[in-house]
Amino acid sequence: MTQTPKRFIAGAICPRCAAMDRVRSWEQNGIRYRDCVSCDFFEQLPVEDETGQELPTRVNREREAARPASEEISPVRILDPKTRH
């Protein structure tokens, strides 16, 4: 039997001892496991259904319709830092 790789969860904080970067996770037989290497925390959860809707983020949401640029044109004045007028 092959060992399932256990991966540390970057930035995760243990719910029991509050140690950061000590929680690891792995999946086996449709169950997700988490444990902490600093204390005796252990949790098992069913793997979520992957067909559910993904939460919208700035990466996966559709771009909003591009807003048309303003038709108003205004000049830009560049100031000379030596004269300070």
Side-chain angles (χ1 to χ4, degrees):
M1 183 171 159
T2 61
Q3 182 78 10
T4 303
K6 298 175 182 178
R7 294 191 169 97
F8 283 94
I9 305 169
I13 297 174
C14 176
R16 180 164 294 147
C17 70
M20 184 184 286
D21 295 332
R22 303 280 190 219
V23 178
R24 57 188 182 168
S25 175
W26 69 97
E27 292 181 15
Q28 191 172 15
N29 301 325
I31 299 174
R32 177 171 291 137
Y33 298 95
R34 292 191 315 162
D35 72 350
C36 177
V37 297
S38 293
C39 69
D40 62 346
F41 170 74
F42 179 80
E43 179 179 51
Q44 61 184 31
L45 303 164
V47 176
E48 293 104 18
D49 185 15
E50 298 296 329
T51 61
Q53 179 116 11
E54 185 177 9
L55 294 174
T57 65
R58 65 179 179 83
V59 175
N60 66 5
R61 72 172 184 231
E62 293 184 28
R63 297 256 185 227
E64 295 178 15
R67 296 181 190 147
S70 174
E71 295 294 325
E72 183 179 322
I73 298 174
S74 59
V76 175
R77 183 175 167 206
I78 300 175
L79 302 176
D80 184 3
K82 295 175 186 172
T83 60
R84 294 187 184 235
H85 287 264

